Amino acid sequence: MMPPAVRTRALSKRYGARVALAPLDLEVAAGEFLALVGPNGAGKSTLLLLLAALARPSDGQAWLFGHPVERGPGSSAGRRAVGYVGHPLIAYRALSPRQNLEFFGRLYGLPGLEALVDASLARFGLAEQADDPAGSLSRGQQQRLSLARALLHEPPLLLLDEPFNSLDSEATGVLSGALRQASRAGRTVLMATHDLDRARELAGQVAVLRRGHLALRAEAPAGAQAWASLYRRAAGEAGE
Amino acid sequence: MTATSQALKLALWAALTVLMLVALHSVFLEAPAERVMGDVQRIFYFHFPSALGCFAAFAVVCGAGVAYLATRHLRWDRLGRAAAEVGVLFCTIVLVTGPIWARPAWGVWWTWEARLTTTLVLWLLYVSYLMVGLYTDSREQRARAAAVVGIIGFLDVPVVYFSVQWWRGHHPVIFGRAQSGGLSPDMWPTVWWCLATFVLLFVALVGLRISIAATEDAISDLEERLSQRG
Amino acid sequence: MNYLRGVWLVARKDLLSETRTFERLSSMLFLALTILVIFNFALDFSRWQMADLAAGVLWVTLPLAAVLALHDSFRAEREDQALWGLLLAPLDESAIYLGKLLSNLLLLLILGALTLGLSAVFFNFNLVPVAAGLGLVVLLNALGFAALGTLFATLSSRARRGEVLLHLLLLPVAIPLILAAVRSTTPLLAGRGLGEVRPWLQLTVAMDVIFTTAGVLLFGYLTEE
């Protein structure tokens, strides 16, 4: 019996008096695609940062595939399980996509790196810009680079923070395709998003966060109407 | 604030006042005049405990920093900042009383002798600690940054002390070592009174500063909550 | 992921990046040169012993120029949060710190060597007989400076007006380093042997150990969100 991909117990984060995430108990089974929805400030980004071990919880704990999420000496092995895509590019502006992927690939100790990077660049449609500085790429291309970086080491868990933000329709299509592929390959995906259409398209599960609290956790409904009303009910705001 | 803690605070301030009066009496009326320097030497009674208070304060800053990093309770950050402020205050006392003594004793306002120099460097270290807050955005960020700076600063203290000692000659008033210019035995009671006063003063000032900081934090917490609700 | 390999990968990436534009190195060197020239106008070299003066000038110039390059240590990482990429990798945080320290150290060593060369020209002293000794002094001091600077740069890279913060934090703490450096350099320039400056060198080594250890232990706390 495989341990859940994600399990949290009373996981919380405060910044001063501001509760970014109230104590959260969440479980995500391996292979699920969970959409995290909610208005701004709901705690979606915070949750993902905590799971990626980029932020330290104020309280509580999280486990990924049974291993505790932590930093400090000896914890580095657990990070292989995670691929994270967030608002920032998380790559070096001055380096090309190829150089970026090669650098991060080396950090993960991936064998056959050159071929791997070539394949990744091709898969995400970055072959043409492979040797241009990442800073000169369009937003859509940068997002794809970010995803390429996150998937390079083939992590079983993908954490995505609003990946469809400010993407044009072409880039959105490429990204959706890549995510669908990842999910079909058995990866667990947690995706925070405002884009209810994408969430409906891709997710099998949904969790609604509101003001740091988990308002709803359910199977993803079918149909746009159902999504909109679910969102409205749980988040207490008009659907988008 | 409970009734007992209020009573304790009152007792502390009362004791401090009494002690100060006793110490002042001791310094100016009881202690004998120094043979060579005369009454100017009395400044030592303020100078020496301030210097000790300085070191103690910075030890507290370091400890508070470690405690904060381990527990993430902001109260440790408040303690660290309070101790640093009081430490800088005591350092300033040393840096001001030093020249007041040096001028009649040696004819110069400032001399780069070991202890004054060390104190000046410490003053710089801990003022920079206090300035960290100007460059950070959130309380947690500042607390973390300050903790690291405070720990490094304290690790620097012995290094500064030794390097400056090697670089320069001795401080004129040394006791506990077989050097000339020590204290005569009838000066010791005064030293102890002053020491006790400064210890109490340190505790009182730090306590006061912490409660001010706690109130400030509570106010900004309330403001935060109000804006969240809105 | 082998720890040392991780350190090396981080250092290597920084050094390779630097070779693109030599931005950090060139600004640092230019500033050092300018400061040396200003000293020439500020001090009357005819009235002082060259050895006393040169050491002081050197050890004001080097730290001030070095702070410039140190602040940039994490600029590329902060820009698009590439630092998160490093933190997400199966790499110990302290390996990131040491990798950065290594690349900073190399830059500071280049700064030191070139500044020494320039000083030899400006102050008219023969560098060759003292090169080894001075080289050791520069190495040991650059290490301490890099250790402190890398740690504080983590802080300053995150702050607004961070460069100011780095100056405020680094320079006071580095005072004993600078003091030891000057006390080591003056006798060497006056033709005395390394034996005479051994206590100061030992103090510098002690500082290097203290500050590097502190950096390794504390770096992780500064990289959390």
Side-chain angles (χ1 to χ4, degrees), chain A residues 49 54 84 86 88 90, chain C residues 77 81-89 223 225:
Chain A
L49 283 176
L54 290 172
Y84 178 90
I90 312 186
Chain C
E77 273 76 17
Q81 293 292 14
L83 182 63
W84 285 1
L86 293 173
L87 294 172
L88 287 164
T223 52
E225 281 307 310

Side-chain angles (χ1 to χ4, degrees), chain A residues 13 15 49 52 54-56 71-77 79-80 82 84 88-95 99 103-104 106-109 149, chain C residues 1 5-6 9-10 12-14 17 20 76-77 79-93 96 100 220-221 223-225:
Chain A
K13 179 77 180 161
Y15 293 100
L49 283 176
L54 290 172
R56 188 191 231 252
R71 292 221 72 99
S75 66
S76 48
R79 295 202 266 286
R80 280 184 186 280
V82 180
Y84 178 90
L89 174 57
I90 312 186
Y92 292 94
R93 201 160 261 274
L95 299 181
Q99 287 168 323
F103 174 64
F104 287 110
R106 275 194 212 101
L107 287 181
Y108 283 91
R149 173 198 45 80
Chain C
M1 164 97 276
R5 182 166 160 72
L9 284 175
V10 173
R12 178 176 169 274
K13 183 221 143 272
D14 267 9
S17 291
R20 288 156 179 277
E77 273 76 17
E79 250 183 341
D80 293 284
Q81 293 292 14
L83 182 63
W84 285 1
L86 293 173
L87 294 172
L88 287 164
L91 193 64
D92 250 9
E93 283 138 349
I96 303 175
K100 285 283 176 186
Y221 291 105
T223 52
E224 308 164 1
E225 281 307 310

Side-chain angles (χ1 to χ4, degrees), chain B residues 44-228:
Chain B
F44 163 79
Y45 298 114
F46 302 99
H47 188 101
F48 166 62
S50 298
L52 279 191
C54 222
F55 286 106
F58 302 145
V60 172
V61 172
C62 180
V66 172
Y68 176 77
L69 291 178
T71 66
R72 304 307 166 109
H73 284 309
L74 281 171
R75 76 167 86 99
W76 294 113
D77 176 57
R78 289 193 283 264
L79 173 61
R81 265 185 302 138
E85 286 185 18
V86 176
V88 168
L89 173 67
F90 282 10
C91 261
T92 311
I93 293 176
V94 173
L95 292 172
V96 166
T97 56
I100 294 179
W101 183 359
R103 180 78 173 135
W106 305 317
V108 288
W109 284 112
W110 181 264
T111 160
W112 291 99
E113 61 80 36
R115 271 196 207 157
L116 270 181
T117 308
T118 305
T119 311
L120 183 56
V121 176
L122 291 189
W123 189 91
L124 287 174
L125 279 177
Y126 287 93
V127 167
S128 74
Y129 169 93
L130 291 172
M131 292 181 87
V132 169
L134 296 173
Y135 298 86
T136 52
D137 292 316
S138 76
R139 236 183 279 164
E140 277 79 12
Q141 250 193 358
R142 186 202 53 217
R144 251 186 299 143
V148 170
V149 173
I151 292 170
I152 299 278
F154 188 65
L155 289 174
D156 211 30
V157 168
V159 172
V160 170
Y161 180 78
F162 282 119
S163 59
V164 172
Q165 285 284 333
W166 285 359
W167 172 65
R168 272 295 179 261
H170 294 289
H171 194 90
V173 180
I174 304 165
F175 38 77
R177 296 175 206 171
Q179 292 274 346
S180 61
L183 288 176
S184 84
D186 31 339
M187 291 179 174
W188 276 102
T190 313
V191 175
W192 290 122
W193 281 120
C194 283
L195 215 55
T197 311
F198 269 80
V199 167
L200 211 55
L201 182 64
F202 177 81
V203 171
L205 286 175
V206 170
L208 187 62
R209 185 61 184 89
I210 292 180
S211 67
I212 293 176
T215 311
E216 285 171 341
D217 285 350
I219 291 176
S220 64
D221 279 355
L222 283 171
E223 285 174 340
E224 181 76 58
R225 271 202 215 108
L226 273 173
S227 69
Q228 263 197 322

